[in-house]
Amino acid sequence: MGEFTLELNEDQKQVRDWLHGFAADVMRPAAAEWDEREETPWPIIQEAAKLGIYSLDFYAQQFFDPTGLGIPMAMEELFWGDAGIALSIVGTGLAAVGVLANGTEEQIGTWVPQMYGDANDVKVAAFCSSEPDAGSDVASMRTRAVYDEAKDEWVLNGTKTWATNGGIANVHVVVAVVDPELGSKGHASFIVPPNTPGLSQGQKFQKHGIRASHTAEVVLEDVRVPGSCLLGGKDKLDERLARAREKARTGGERVKNAAMATFEASRPAVGAMAVGTARAAYEVALDYAKTRVQFGRPIIENQGVAFQLADMATQIDAARLLVWRASWMATAGKPFTAAEGSMSKLYASEVAKKVTAQAVQILGGNGYTREYPVERMHRDAAIYTIFEGTSEIQRMVISRALAK
C-alpha cells in the first residue's frame, strides 16, 4: 500500500500555479468591471481558450486525474480569482457533465466539443433543469418531452429557469418529463442542438452576485429534436422506465434520476468553488488586518480580530479537506454511503458565506464599499448555499443517508 499523503504532486502544482497566475493577472483586474456590466465576459473566456484553460482537453485532463483532485484544485484557483468570471468559464462544464453522466460514447464525442468551440470561436453550453415551480422539488417538473415515433423525434415544451448560459448557449441540455406517473423517475435528458427552432431566451436575471455569469430562463415551444438527442438512447430509457414502473408496483432498488446524476457528480466541485471564494476573502482580510493600524498597532494584534482570522483559516482548510475526500472517493469508485459529496458542498458553502461576511466585518466601513473586493465576494458567496441543491436539500440528503 502506498504512503498516505495530501501533498500535491509536481504536475498538479504546476497546473495550480498556472491557473493561479491566470486568476491573478487576467481575472482579478477585470472582476469589478464585469460585475458592474452584468454581462458575459467573452474576452476573458476567449483568453482562457487561447491559453487552453477553456477547453474540453483541459477539463478532461483534470477529470481523469487519478487522485481526483484535478477538478477541485482548478475550481478553487479560478474562483479565488473571481466567482462571476469563473462561473462564465466553467459553467459549460455542468452541461458537459450532464452528457458524460447520461450519454453514449457517440453522443459525448459529438456534442461535448461543440459546447466549447475553439480559441477563435468560443461557445458555451447550458444545463436546464430548474423550473419556475420546480427547483429543489424535481418531482414537480412540468417540461414535457413526447416521442413522435413516425418521425423519430422528441417534442419538448416548457420553461426552464436559473439556467447558466441559458439562451446564449450553443448547446442546451434539457431535463424533461417523459412519464408523468413516475414522478422524478420519469425524467430524461435531451440535447437541443444549435439554432433549433422553438428554443428562446426568456427573462435574463439581474442578480445579487456572480453578475458576470449569464443566468436566464429558457423557453421551449414545440422544440423538435432527433431521437439521437435523447441522452443514453431510447432503449436505455425504456429499460429504466420499466424498472421504475416495476419498483413502483412492488418496491425495490432505487432508480437513478437523470438530473440528480449530474448534481451528484458536481457537488464536490461546487464545494471547491466556495473554498476558492472563501480563501480569497480571507486573504484580503488577513492582509488588511496586518496593515490597518488603529490605536497605535495593527488590528491583527487585537484578539477579537486575530481569533476571527484563526477561525476563518481553520474552516477553509476543513472545507477543502471535505471536498478533497469526496473528490477522491468519486474517482476511486467509493460510494457516498454517508452522502460525502453533499457534506462537502454543504460545509464549504456555509463556510464561504460566513468567511466573506467576517472579511467585510474586519475591513469595517471599507469592507462595505466596492473599493475593496470583499463586498463583491460576500455577494458572490450567497449563491453557494442555493444553487445545485440548497443547504437544506444537502442536509436532507445527508440525513436520509445516515438513516439507512
Side-chain angles (χ1 to χ4, degrees):
M1 186 173 183
E3 180 185 356
F4 174 77
T5 180
L6 287 173
E7 182 74 16
L8 297 177
N9 61 42
E10 288 305 314
D11 288 343
Q12 290 169 326
K13 289 178 181 177
Q14 287 182 8
V15 172
R16 179 198 62 191
D17 294 345
W18 174 51
L19 292 172
H20 187 82
F22 176 79
D25 299 338
V26 179
M27 295 173 67
R28 281 205 167 180
E33 174 190 351
W34 290 101
D35 178 70
E36 289 288 342
R37 290 174 64 167
E38 298 192 52
E39 297 174 359
T40 300
W42 291 108
I44 310 298
I45 299 174
Q46 187 166 33
E47 185 65 22
K50 288 179 179 178
L51 293 173
I53 295 172
Y54 185 76
S55 71
L56 173 59
D57 287 345
F58 172 72
Y59 289 107
Q61 288 173 12
Q62 303 316 308
F63 183 82
F64 290 112
D65 181 325
T67 68
L69 301 185
I71 290 293
M73 181 188 64
M75 295 300 105
E76 180 177 338
E77 292 305 325
L78 292 172
F79 280 75
W80 173 89
D82 177 68
I85 294 176
L87 192 56
S88 285
I89 292 173
V90 308
T92 292
L94 186 58
V97 168
V99 177
L100 291 167
N102 301 296
T104 65
E105 289 187 8
E106 182 179 356
Q107 289 170 330
I108 292 168
T110 298
W111 296 111
V112 175
Q114 294 187 46
M115 294 179 173
Y116 290 93
D118 57 46
N120 297 316
D121 186 20
V122 294
K123 304 292 185 183
V124 294
F127 183 76
C128 307
S129 178
S130 294
E131 298 184 4
D133 296 320
S136 300
D137 183 10
V138 294
S140 296
M141 189 178 293
R142 295 181 180 177
T143 296
R144 289 293 308 276
V146 177
Y147 185 55
D148 183 343
E149 188 171 359
K151 296 183 177 180
D152 186 26
E153 292 179 339
W154 288 89
V155 184
L156 280 61
N157 282 282
T159 299
K160 295 296 183 179
T161 194
W162 311 122
T164 298
N165 298 328
I168 65 170
N170 193 49
V171 176
H172 291 76
V173 178
V174 176
V175 182
V177 179
V178 294
D179 189 333
E181 294 182 1
L182 293 176
S184 63
K185 305 301 185 295
H187 297 175
S189 295
F190 298 84
I191 291 285
V192 180
N195 304 314
T196 298
L199 184 146
S200 62
Q201 178 182 306
Q203 176 187 4
K204 178 187 175 183
F205 295 104
Q206 293 181 303
K207 305 187 299 294
H208 177 62
I210 55 167
R211 301 198 302 191
S213 174
H214 176 97
T215 309
E217 290 182 333
V218 174
V219 180
L220 303 124
E221 297 178 311
D222 292 329
V223 172
R224 286 183 168 268
V225 299
S228 59
C229 287
L230 166 63
L231 289 180
K234 195 166 187 305
D235 289 345
K236 185 177 178 181
L237 172 65
D238 289 342
E239 180 183 335
R240 179 167 61 81
L241 294 179
R243 292 202 314 271
R245 294 186 188 106
E246 181 65 16
K247 178 186 180 299
R249 187 179 68 84
T250 64
E253 63 177 320
R254 181 175 177 267
V255 179
K256 185 173 74 172
N257 171 268
M260 291 303 100
T262 301
F263 292 136
E264 286 169 7
S266 64
R267 276 172 181 158
V270 176
M273 298 173 189
V275 171
T277 300
R279 188 183 113 213
Y282 159 74
E283 289 177 2
V284 172
L286 178 63
D287 290 344
Y288 186 88
K290 289 178 178 179
T291 57
R292 173 69 167 172
V293 175
Q294 291 285 278
F295 304 104
R297 60 180 182 177
I299 62 172
I300 198 171
E301 294 183 14
N302 297 317
Q303 217 174 59
V305 173
F307 281 14
Q308 281 193 75
L309 289 164
D311 286 344
M312 292 158 76
T314 301
Q315 290 161 1
I316 291 167
D317 274 8
R320 182 185 296 109
L321 288 172
L322 281 171
V323 167
W324 281 18
R325 180 185 68 167
S327 301
W328 169 78
M329 288 178 67
T331 298
K334 296 185 179 296
F336 290 159
T337 55
E340 289 87 350
S342 289
M343 283 184 181
S344 69
K345 197 266 184 186
L346 169 65
Y347 188 74
S349 298
E350 297 289 347
V351 164
K353 284 187 69 173
K354 184 176 181 180
V355 165
T356 54
Q358 288 176 305
V360 170
Q361 189 68 24
I362 289 171
L363 269 67
N366 287 328
Y368 199 65
T369 70
R370 295 189 182 179
E371 182 180 353
Y372 288 81
V374 293
E375 178 271 342
R376 184 180 67 254
M377 294 168 184
H378 182 43
R379 286 189 285 108
D380 291 342
I383 194 60
Y384 298 125
T385 61
I386 298 172
F387 73 175
E388 294 199 49
T390 63
S391 288
E392 291 74 22
I393 290 294
Q394 305 308 322
R395 290 185 174 98
M396 183 178 70
V397 171
I398 295 165
S399 62
R400 285 180 176 175
L402 297 178
K404 289 181 180 178

